Amino acid sequence: MAKLSIERQLDKIPNTSGIYKFIDKSGKLLYVGKANNLRTRVRSYFTQIHDDRPHIIPMIEQIEKIEVTETENEIEALVLESALIKENQPHYNIMLKDDKSYAWIYINTRDELPTVSILRSINLKDYKKGRLFGPYPNSRATRQIFRYIRQIHPFCTCDSPSEPCLYYRMKLCNNPKFGDHTLSQYQQSIEGVIKFLEGSKRNHIKELRKQMDQLSQDRDYENAAILRDKIYDLEHLGEDIPYYQSESDFIIQKKTQNHKIIQKYQKDFAIPLPERIECYDISNLQGDHAYGSMTVAIDGELRPDQYRVFKIRKGKTPDDFEMLNEVISRRIKHLSISDDVSLSNKPNLILIDGGKGQISAVAEEIPTEITLMGISKGRSLRKRGKRRKDMFWLHREDSTEQVFTKEPRLLVVLRDEAHRFALKHHRIARAKGMKGSLLDRVEGVGPKIKKKLMKKFGSVANMHGLSIDELNEVVSNRSTSLKLHDALKDSTNTKKQSKTK
């Protein structure tokens, strides 16, 4: 039962960055970790062989509960992970230190002669005493930034030097103690370091924002999105990351941040505040085992407890438009008749995985007070990861037009979650449909005969290669036994052919 429970928990973990917590049956926190993809990282603990890390095997055996907290990016996850480890001191985090070390650039600004240094670990006392920039996942890059800043704005790294150091002779330190520089000059140099790290790039970012806004006004959304991503990368180079004292501190800040995101959608799309957003996707294979999924975000926060799935009832024709229409129409009907806490709540915004075609397929089903949008893949590719950019479509009255937002992440994650959720149920249905399906297709093999066959032979695989007489000992009907024998033979030949392709 414990393994099954873990599997169910793994299915609910999203493909987003964040932190994960392993908890034992007594409620004790065993381990805190971070990941750029929570779903992949957490699942690896239970699917991979850990011969190279035997120390984690005892921990895995104790895991009873998995909790995750999503973050905007891996850097935010790192800071939250650090706060949780300091707050809770989990046993396996203390015993099993990660060899990877993240670096921070620290300036003790309260001292008369501030020094600049690279830190491998931090504490709240240091953070309050000065300015902390980072973290930087790549220590080599941190040192390069450190050296680069020093060439532009020389600074001291020694607390109380008794004589000029090597850096002073190389003109990379301007400690006023040795007479060549004044204290005012040194403090101006430190101000220059801080401005760079906050950074001096701010004017450049401001100019990029102007260009992005102009491209958006010109409806050149693909190039606007390229600039948006570039701005995001620049903003996260050397920015002053908030230091979370606890998980509750993070949650409070996160709620404020999430609310700002939906306020941004209200402004960018000129729509009512989308406090409840629902996203829909369809998963099917040539019409078989088709499911529609509904994922939900409330006040900018994903709510997996309110996700729902719809089994497609209409025919087996692989028509995504018709299936999407069925799902949306059934969902809207639930508003007035459902006791389900999720389906009875009216969304402010419905997001469809698709563009104009998908939107037109459902537009008539949606009340006018609910905003309808679509999200589709664009034509251009990002250099990093070769991922196609997302395009957003807004339906107003009788027309649908492309729109742009500077904060697409929530909508993208909702779409990805909807796809994952629909695919999950589609795969479960396919697995169930395939189990014993060969016996179900043989005329004359009913539930009673099937039960006898399974009791005698254990599985359909064990029936392959049996003679008609051997099958008939159980079936007791030669005509049906012949049909079953032929079906098993055809199945064997099909498998052999598929292996040779």
Side-chain angles (χ1 to χ4, degrees):
M1 287 295 291
K3 291 293 182 183
L4 183 60
S5 175
I6 289 293
E7 187 61 35
R8 287 173 178 168
Q9 293 180 61
L10 291 174
D11 284 341
K12 295 179 180 179
I13 297 176
N15 292 300
T16 59
S17 60
I19 61 99
Y20 54 93
K21 294 186 285 189
F22 294 146
I23 301 168
D24 68 12
K25 61 182 179 181
S26 66
K28 182 181 177 181
L29 181 62
L30 298 171
Y31 183 79
V32 176
K34 59 167 176 50
N36 193 38
N37 186 313
L38 284 169
R39 186 175 178 82
T40 301
R41 179 69 180 124
V42 176
R43 186 171 284 276
S44 70
Y45 282 91
F46 303 93
T47 58
Q48 295 181 4
I49 298 173
H50 301 290
D51 291 342
D52 58 331
R53 295 189 297 162
H55 44 257
I56 73 169
I57 295 175
M59 177 190 74
I60 295 172
E61 293 173 350
Q62 298 176 59
I63 298 171
E64 190 76 17
K65 184 178 180 182
I66 304 168
E67 292 183 355
V68 300
T69 301
E70 296 176 62
T71 60
E72 284 295 314
N73 49 59
E74 194 173 8
I75 297 296
E76 194 175 68
L78 169 67
V79 180
L80 179 57
E81 176 199 38
S82 176
L84 285 171
I85 292 172
K86 286 179 171 60
E87 180 185 11
N88 299 284
Q89 295 292 301
H91 174 72
Y92 284 93
N93 283 102
I94 296 170
M95 298 294 290
L96 312 174
K97 288 291 185 182
D98 193 338
D99 291 334
K100 294 180 181 178
S101 180
Y102 285 76
W104 307 70
I105 294 179
Y106 170 68
I107 306 172
N108 60 340
T109 52
R110 290 192 179 182
D111 291 351
E112 184 181 25
L113 189 70
T115 56
V116 185
S117 57
I118 296 176
L119 300 182
R120 295 293 180 183
S121 61
I122 60 173
N123 58 58
L124 189 59
K125 183 179 179 181
D126 284 339
Y127 180 68
K128 287 183 176 180
K129 187 178 177 182
R131 295 293 302 276
L132 197 64
F133 299 91
Y136 301 92
N138 188 321
S139 59
R140 180 181 177 184
T142 309
R143 291 193 297 271
Q144 289 176 340
I145 293 171
F146 195 80
R147 288 194 294 266
Y148 176 72
I149 298 171
R150 199 166 201 172
Q151 291 172 6
I152 304 171
H153 305 289
F155 53 77
C156 183
T157 56
C158 305
D159 288 331
S160 300
S162 58
E163 60 183 28
C165 64
L166 175 63
Y167 291 110
Y168 189 89
R169 295 188 179 96
M170 295 172 64
K171 301 187 183 301
L172 297 176
C173 171
N174 56 353
N175 191 327
K177 181 178 180 179
F178 305 110
D180 292 336
H181 307 278
T182 66
L183 179 61
S184 176
Q185 288 175 326
Y186 184 81
Q187 290 173 338
Q188 287 178 7
S189 186
I190 292 296
E191 288 177 7
V193 174
I194 293 173
K195 285 180 180 179
F196 179 90
L197 292 172
E198 319 188 280
S200 61
K201 59 189 179 294
R202 189 168 294 169
N203 290 334
H204 181 51
I205 291 176
K206 187 177 180 180
E207 181 61 32
L208 289 178
R209 285 193 180 280
K210 287 181 181 179
Q211 295 177 28
M212 179 181 68
D213 291 340
Q214 186 59 53
L215 288 169
S216 177
Q217 292 174 19
D218 294 341
R219 298 176 181 270
D220 187 355
Y221 297 122
E222 291 185 359
N223 285 318
I226 292 172
L227 284 185
R228 179 191 64 207
D229 294 338
K230 187 173 183 179
I231 291 168
Y232 179 85
D233 291 339
L234 285 171
E235 286 177 333
H236 284 77
L237 173 61
E239 71 173 358
D240 194 357
I241 303 288
Y243 186 84
Y244 307 115
Q245 300 183 55
S246 64
E247 187 172 13
S248 59
D249 182 31
F250 169 79
I251 291 172
I252 291 171
Q253 293 190 43
K254 193 69 177 176
K255 286 184 180 295
T256 301
Q257 185 181 25
N258 288 341
H259 189 71
K260 288 181 179 178
I261 288 175
I262 63 171
Q263 287 179 319
K264 192 72 176 172
Y265 294 157
Q266 181 183 25
K267 180 180 178 181
D268 288 348
F269 305 141
I271 61 174
L273 185 67
E275 294 177 311
R276 180 184 176 92
I277 305 174
E278 296 178 359
C279 183
Y280 294 85
D281 187 25
I282 301 294
S283 180
N284 75 93
L285 181 64
Q286 296 299 314
D288 289 333
H289 308 301
Y291 283 88
S293 63
M294 178 185 95
T295 53
V296 181
I298 298 178
D299 205 21
E301 179 185 359
L302 294 184
R303 291 291 302 273
D305 61 307
Q306 299 209 19
Y307 292 4
R308 297 294 182 265
V309 65
F310 299 80
K311 181 174 174 57
I312 304 299
R313 295 170 179 169
K314 296 179 181 177
K316 293 189 176 182
T317 304
D319 187 335
D320 283 357
F321 291 173
E322 184 178 343
M323 292 177 181
L324 192 57
N325 179 277
E326 177 190 334
V327 169
I328 294 297
S329 62
R330 284 166 55 189
R331 190 275 171 271
I332 296 302
K333 288 179 182 177
H334 276 295
L335 287 173
S336 57
I337 62 174
S338 181
D339 293 329
D340 186 298
V341 66
S342 182
L343 296 176
S344 60
N345 281 293
K346 182 183 292 187
N348 307 103
L349 169 62
I350 284 181
L351 181 67
I352 303 297
D353 181 18
K356 289 185 176 182
Q358 285 79 5
I359 288 177
S360 63
V362 302
E364 293 184 1
E365 305 293 339
I366 297 178
T368 55
E369 65 270 20
I370 299 176
T371 303
L372 173 60
M373 287 187 63
I375 175 173
S376 64
K377 293 292 184 183
R379 293 184 298 275
S380 64
L381 298 177
R382 291 188 64 178
K383 290 182 180 179
R384 188 187 307 166
K386 301 292 184 181
R387 177 173 177 172
R388 286 189 294 173
K389 289 192 160 298
D390 295 297
M391 302 168 65
F392 298 93
W393 307 89
L394 178 64
H395 183 76
R396 295 187 200 275
E397 297 179 353
D398 295 327
S399 65
T400 300
E401 61 180 25
Q402 191 179 353
V403 290
F404 179 77
T405 179
K406 300 173 186 176
E407 298 285 350
R409 185 177 179 276
L410 174 61
L411 301 179
V412 172
V413 170
L414 267 175
R415 186 271 315 280
D416 292 346
E417 278 286 273
H419 180 70
R420 177 190 69 81
F421 201 56
L423 190 60
K424 167 191 167 184
H425 288 278
H426 169 69
R427 285 172 174 167
I428 291 173
R430 283 186 64 194
K432 289 181 178 179
M434 291 172 67
K435 187 176 181 180
S437 59
L438 186 145
L439 299 182
D440 294 331
R441 292 197 299 267
V442 177
E443 185 181 354
V445 177
K448 289 183 178 180
I449 294 179
K450 185 162 68 171
K451 187 176 180 179
K452 289 181 180 180
L453 287 166
M454 296 302 289
K455 184 178 180 179
K456 173 72 174 178
F457 302 113
S459 68
V460 173
N462 292 337
M463 299 179 203
H464 289 283
L466 295 178
S467 66
I468 297 174
D469 290 336
E470 289 173 317
L471 292 171
N472 198 49
E473 287 180 8
V474 178
V475 176
S476 299
N477 184 307
R478 195 161 187 83
S479 176
T480 300
S481 297
L482 178 60
K483 293 175 182 176
L484 177 57
H485 182 267
D486 290 343
L488 288 165
K489 186 177 180 181
D490 290 342
S491 175
T492 301
N493 292 335
T494 301
K495 289 180 180 179
K496 288 181 179 178
Q497 290 172 6
S498 65
K499 287 182 180 179
T500 60
K501 289 181 180 180

mmCIF file of all heavy atoms in Angstrom, residues 283-310:
data_model
loop_
_atom_site.group_PDB
_atom_site.id
_atom_site.type_symbol
_atom_site.label_atom_id
_atom_site.label_comp_id
_atom_site.label_asym_id
_atom_site.label_seq_id
_atom_site.Cartn_x
_atom_site.Cartn_y
_atom_site.Cartn_z
ATOM 1 N N SER A 283 -6.600 14.720 -24.855
ATOM 2 C CA SER A 283 -5.614 13.690 -25.171
ATOM 3 C C SER A 283 -6.341 12.468 -25.703
ATOM 4 O O SER A 283 -7.261 11.949 -25.063
ATOM 5 C CB SER A 283 -4.807 13.310 -23.918
ATOM 6 O OG SER A 283 -3.852 12.320 -24.228
ATOM 7 N N ASN A 284 -5.949 12.006 -26.900
ATOM 8 C CA ASN A 284 -6.561 10.804 -27.485
ATOM 9 C C ASN A 284 -5.632 10.229 -28.540
ATOM 10 O O ASN A 284 -4.703 10.892 -28.991
ATOM 11 C CB ASN A 284 -7.930 11.137 -28.098
ATOM 12 C CG ASN A 284 -7.800 11.875 -29.410
ATOM 13 O OD1 ASN A 284 -7.798 11.283 -30.473
ATOM 14 N ND2 ASN A 284 -7.684 13.218 -29.345
ATOM 15 N N LEU A 285 -5.872 8.987 -28.918
ATOM 16 C CA LEU A 285 -5.124 8.330 -29.980
ATOM 17 C C LEU A 285 -6.133 7.797 -30.990
ATOM 18 O O LEU A 285 -6.808 6.813 -30.733
ATOM 19 C CB LEU A 285 -4.271 7.193 -29.419
ATOM 20 C CG LEU A 285 -3.417 6.425 -30.439
ATOM 21 C CD1 LEU A 285 -2.378 7.365 -31.035
ATOM 22 C CD2 LEU A 285 -2.743 5.244 -29.786
ATOM 23 N N GLN A 286 -6.249 8.509 -32.117
ATOM 24 C CA GLN A 286 -7.229 8.153 -33.147
ATOM 25 C C GLN A 286 -8.634 8.019 -32.545
ATOM 26 O O GLN A 286 -9.419 7.168 -32.951
ATOM 27 C CB GLN A 286 -6.815 6.845 -33.834
ATOM 28 C CG GLN A 286 -5.513 6.946 -34.603
ATOM 29 C CD GLN A 286 -5.567 7.972 -35.716
ATOM 30 O OE1 GLN A 286 -6.510 8.029 -36.493
ATOM 31 N NE2 GLN A 286 -4.562 8.835 -35.782
ATOM 32 N N GLY A 287 -8.934 8.853 -31.573
ATOM 33 C CA GLY A 287 -10.270 8.873 -30.985
ATOM 34 C C GLY A 287 -10.465 7.925 -29.821
ATOM 35 O O GLY A 287 -11.439 8.031 -29.082
ATOM 36 N N ASP A 288 -9.549 6.963 -29.626
ATOM 37 C CA ASP A 288 -9.697 5.983 -28.547
ATOM 38 C C ASP A 288 -9.232 6.555 -27.221
ATOM 39 O O ASP A 288 -8.246 7.295 -27.151
ATOM 40 C CB ASP A 288 -8.884 4.723 -28.858
ATOM 41 C CG ASP A 288 -9.505 3.914 -29.995
ATOM 42 O OD1 ASP A 288 -10.728 4.014 -30.172
ATOM 43 O OD2 ASP A 288 -8.748 3.215 -30.696
ATOM 44 N N HIS A 289 -9.937 6.160 -26.149
ATOM 45 C CA HIS A 289 -9.570 6.552 -24.790
ATOM 46 C C HIS A 289 -9.326 8.058 -24.695
ATOM 47 O O HIS A 289 -8.304 8.511 -24.186
ATOM 48 C CB HIS A 289 -8.333 5.795 -24.324
ATOM 49 C CG HIS A 289 -8.431 4.312 -24.486
ATOM 50 N ND1 HIS A 289 -9.428 3.564 -23.881
ATOM 51 C CD2 HIS A 289 -7.667 3.434 -25.196
ATOM 52 C CE1 HIS A 289 -9.259 2.299 -24.203
ATOM 53 N NE2 HIS A 289 -8.221 2.186 -25.006
ATOM 54 N N ALA A 290 -10.261 8.821 -25.198
ATOM 55 C CA ALA A 290 -10.103 10.280 -25.226
ATOM 56 C C ALA A 290 -10.532 10.902 -23.903
ATOM 57 O O ALA A 290 -11.572 10.545 -23.342
ATOM 58 C CB ALA A 290 -10.926 10.872 -26.369
ATOM 59 N N TYR A 291 -9.714 11.832 -23.431
ATOM 60 C CA TYR A 291 -10.006 12.535 -22.188
ATOM 61 C C TYR A 291 -9.757 14.022 -22.360
ATOM 62 O O TYR A 291 -8.867 14.442 -23.101
ATOM 63 C CB TYR A 291 -9.128 12.010 -21.047
ATOM 64 C CG TYR A 291 -9.576 10.687 -20.492
ATOM 65 C CD1 TYR A 291 -9.131 9.486 -21.051
ATOM 66 C CD2 TYR A 291 -10.467 10.628 -19.426
ATOM 67 C CE1 TYR A 291 -9.550 8.268 -20.554
ATOM 68 C CE2 TYR A 291 -10.895 9.407 -18.917
ATOM 69 C CZ TYR A 291 -10.437 8.233 -19.478
ATOM 70 O OH TYR A 291 -10.869 7.040 -18.983
ATOM 71 N N GLY A 292 -10.546 14.814 -21.651
ATOM 72 C CA GLY A 292 -10.314 16.238 -21.570
ATOM 73 C C GLY A 292 -9.934 16.575 -20.146
ATOM 74 O O GLY A 292 -10.499 16.025 -19.198
ATOM 75 N N SER A 293 -8.958 17.456 -19.975
ATOM 76 C CA SER A 293 -8.510 17.798 -18.628
ATOM 77 C C SER A 293 -8.804 19.256 -18.313
ATOM 78 O O SER A 293 -8.873 20.102 -19.207
ATOM 79 C CB SER A 293 -7.008 17.548 -18.487
ATOM 80 O OG SER A 293 -6.286 18.402 -19.365
ATOM 81 N N MET A 294 -8.980 19.535 -17.042
ATOM 82 C CA MET A 294 -9.194 20.891 -16.543
ATOM 83 C C MET A 294 -8.203 21.141 -15.412
ATOM 84 O O MET A 294 -8.207 20.450 -14.405
ATOM 85 C CB MET A 294 -10.623 21.060 -16.019
ATOM 86 C CG MET A 294 -10.911 22.442 -15.438
ATOM 87 S SD MET A 294 -12.577 22.538 -14.700
ATOM 88 C CE MET A 294 -12.199 22.176 -12.977
ATOM 89 N N THR A 295 -7.311 22.112 -15.596
ATOM 90 C CA THR A 295 -6.400 22.518 -14.524
ATOM 91 C C THR A 295 -6.803 23.899 -14.046
ATOM 92 O O THR A 295 -7.396 24.686 -14.798
ATOM 93 C CB THR A 295 -4.942 22.504 -14.988
ATOM 94 O OG1 THR A 295 -4.819 23.285 -16.190
ATOM 95 C CG2 THR A 295 -4.486 21.086 -15.279
ATOM 96 N N VAL A 296 -6.470 24.201 -12.803
ATOM 97 C CA VAL A 296 -7.010 25.402 -12.166
ATOM 98 C C VAL A 296 -5.921 26.191 -11.442
ATOM 99 O O VAL A 296 -5.042 25.609 -10.791
ATOM 100 C CB VAL A 296 -8.114 25.022 -11.150
ATOM 101 C CG1 VAL A 296 -8.697 26.263 -10.487
ATOM 102 C CG2 VAL A 296 -9.211 24.212 -11.816
ATOM 103 N N ALA A 297 -5.994 27.502 -11.558
ATOM 104 C CA ALA A 297 -5.186 28.408 -10.746
ATOM 105 C C ALA A 297 -6.130 29.404 -10.080
ATOM 106 O O ALA A 297 -6.996 29.979 -10.740
ATOM 107 C CB ALA A 297 -4.157 29.150 -11.596
ATOM 108 N N ILE A 298 -5.980 29.576 -8.778
ATOM 109 C CA ILE A 298 -6.799 30.521 -8.029
ATOM 110 C C ILE A 298 -5.892 31.592 -7.447
ATOM 111 O O ILE A 298 -4.944 31.285 -6.718
ATOM 112 C CB ILE A 298 -7.599 29.822 -6.910
ATOM 113 C CG1 ILE A 298 -8.564 28.794 -7.523
ATOM 114 C CG2 ILE A 298 -8.373 30.839 -6.075
ATOM 115 C CD1 ILE A 298 -9.360 28.014 -6.501
ATOM 116 N N ASP A 299 -6.164 32.831 -7.787
ATOM 117 C CA ASP A 299 -5.346 33.978 -7.373
ATOM 118 C C ASP A 299 -3.871 33.736 -7.715
ATOM 119 O O ASP A 299 -2.975 34.038 -6.933
ATOM 120 C CB ASP A 299 -5.503 34.265 -5.882
ATOM 121 C CG ASP A 299 -5.183 35.730 -5.559
ATOM 122 O OD1 ASP A 299 -5.240 36.574 -6.472
ATOM 123 O OD2 ASP A 299 -4.857 36.022 -4.390
ATOM 124 N N GLY A 300 -3.634 33.164 -8.891
ATOM 125 C CA GLY A 300 -2.280 32.969 -9.389
ATOM 126 C C GLY A 300 -1.583 31.726 -8.892
ATOM 127 O O GLY A 300 -0.446 31.465 -9.273
ATOM 128 N N GLU A 301 -2.245 30.905 -8.065
ATOM 129 C CA GLU A 301 -1.629 29.709 -7.502
ATOM 130 C C GLU A 301 -2.263 28.452 -8.081
ATOM 131 O O GLU A 301 -3.494 28.334 -8.119
ATOM 132 C CB GLU A 301 -1.785 29.697 -5.983
ATOM 133 C CG GLU A 301 -1.203 28.469 -5.313
ATOM 134 C CD GLU A 301 -1.489 28.430 -3.814
ATOM 135 O OE1 GLU A 301 -2.125 29.378 -3.300
ATOM 136 O OE2 GLU A 301 -1.081 27.455 -3.168
ATOM 137 N N LEU A 302 -1.449 27.517 -8.545
ATOM 138 C CA LEU A 302 -1.969 26.247 -9.053
ATOM 139 C C LEU A 302 -2.687 25.504 -7.937
ATOM 140 O O LEU A 302 -2.210 25.439 -6.805
ATOM 141 C CB LEU A 302 -0.838 25.372 -9.594
ATOM 142 C CG LEU A 302 -0.087 25.851 -10.833
ATOM 143 C CD1 LEU A 302 0.930 24.807 -11.258
ATOM 144 C CD2 LEU A 302 -1.026 26.162 -11.974
ATOM 145 N N ARG A 303 -3.847 24.904 -8.271
ATOM 146 C CA ARG A 303 -4.631 24.175 -7.290
ATOM 147 C C ARG A 303 -4.915 22.763 -7.793
ATOM 148 O O ARG A 303 -6.001 22.479 -8.319
ATOM 149 C CB ARG A 303 -5.938 24.923 -7.011
ATOM 150 C CG ARG A 303 -5.750 26.241 -6.271
ATOM 151 C CD ARG A 303 -5.300 25.997 -4.833
ATOM 152 N NE ARG A 303 -6.268 25.181 -4.138
ATOM 153 C CZ ARG A 303 -7.330 25.678 -3.500
ATOM 154 N NH1 ARG A 303 -7.536 26.993 -3.472
ATOM 155 N NH2 ARG A 303 -8.166 24.878 -2.879
ATOM 156 N N PRO A 304 -3.963 21.834 -7.654
ATOM 157 C CA PRO A 304 -4.154 20.460 -8.127
ATOM 158 C C PRO A 304 -5.364 19.774 -7.522
ATOM 159 O O PRO A 304 -5.931 18.861 -8.141
ATOM 160 C CB PRO A 304 -2.853 19.766 -7.705
ATOM 161 C CG PRO A 304 -1.843 20.862 -7.641
ATOM 162 C CD PRO A 304 -2.607 22.050 -7.138
ATOM 163 N N ASP A 305 -5.783 20.176 -6.319
ATOM 164 C CA ASP A 305 -6.947 19.556 -5.689
ATOM 165 C C ASP A 305 -8.231 19.860 -6.445
ATOM 166 O O ASP A 305 -9.245 19.185 -6.253
ATOM 167 C CB ASP A 305 -7.081 20.033 -4.231
ATOM 168 C CG ASP A 305 -7.274 21.542 -4.124
ATOM 169 O OD1 ASP A 305 -6.441 22.275 -4.703
ATOM 170 O OD2 ASP A 305 -8.228 21.980 -3.478
ATOM 171 N N GLN A 306 -8.182 20.875 -7.333
ATOM 172 C CA GLN A 306 -9.371 21.235 -8.098
ATOM 173 C C GLN A 306 -9.256 20.849 -9.571
ATOM 174 O O GLN A 306 -10.117 21.202 -10.373
ATOM 175 C CB GLN A 306 -9.657 22.733 -7.945
ATOM 176 C CG GLN A 306 -9.929 23.127 -6.507
ATOM 177 C CD GLN A 306 -10.859 24.318 -6.375
ATOM 178 O OE1 GLN A 306 -11.591 24.679 -7.292
ATOM 179 N NE2 GLN A 306 -10.852 24.938 -5.212
ATOM 180 N N TYR A 307 -8.198 20.147 -9.947
ATOM 181 C CA TYR A 307 -8.108 19.618 -11.310
ATOM 182 C C TYR A 307 -9.215 18.583 -11.514
ATOM 183 O O TYR A 307 -9.556 17.836 -10.601
ATOM 184 C CB TYR A 307 -6.768 18.924 -11.550
ATOM 185 C CG TYR A 307 -5.548 19.817 -11.571
ATOM 186 C CD1 TYR A 307 -5.627 21.180 -11.311
ATOM 187 C CD2 TYR A 307 -4.287 19.286 -11.849
ATOM 188 C CE1 TYR A 307 -4.500 21.974 -11.331
ATOM 189 C CE2 TYR A 307 -3.147 20.070 -11.870
ATOM 190 C CZ TYR A 307 -3.259 21.418 -11.596
ATOM 191 O OH TYR A 307 -2.141 22.198 -11.621
ATOM 192 N N ARG A 308 -9.748 18.523 -12.721
ATOM 193 C CA ARG A 308 -10.782 17.543 -13.050
ATOM 194 C C ARG A 308 -10.516 16.961 -14.433
ATOM 195 O O ARG A 308 -9.832 17.568 -15.268
ATOM 196 C CB ARG A 308 -12.181 18.177 -13.007
ATOM 197 C CG ARG A 308 -12.615 18.709 -11.639
ATOM 198 C CD ARG A 308 -12.774 17.592 -10.627
ATOM 199 N NE ARG A 308 -13.221 18.066 -9.324
ATOM 200 C CZ ARG A 308 -12.420 18.358 -8.315
ATOM 201 N NH1 ARG A 308 -11.098 18.212 -8.450
ATOM 202 N NH2 ARG A 308 -12.919 18.776 -7.161
ATOM 203 N N VAL A 309 -11.078 15.764 -14.671
ATOM 204 C CA VAL A 309 -10.914 15.110 -15.964
ATOM 205 C C VAL A 309 -12.281 14.716 -16.510
ATOM 206 O O VAL A 309 -13.179 14.348 -15.743
ATOM 207 C CB VAL A 309 -9.989 13.877 -15.844
ATOM 208 C CG1 VAL A 309 -10.612 12.798 -14.984
ATOM 209 C CG2 VAL A 309 -9.615 13.327 -17.214
ATOM 210 N N PHE A 310 -12.456 14.830 -17.828
ATOM 211 C CA PHE A 310 -13.714 14.488 -18.496
ATOM 212 C C PHE A 310 -13.456 13.366 -19.494
ATOM 213 O O PHE A 310 -12.617 13.516 -20.393
ATOM 214 C CB PHE A 310 -14.270 15.706 -19.250
ATOM 215 C CG PHE A 310 -14.597 16.889 -18.385
ATOM 216 C CD1 PHE A 310 -13.602 17.756 -17.954
ATOM 217 C CD2 PHE A 310 -15.904 17.146 -17.994
ATOM 218 C CE1 PHE A 310 -13.895 18.854 -17.163
ATOM 219 C CE2 PHE A 310 -16.216 18.236 -17.207
ATOM 220 C CZ PHE A 310 -15.207 19.095 -16.783
#
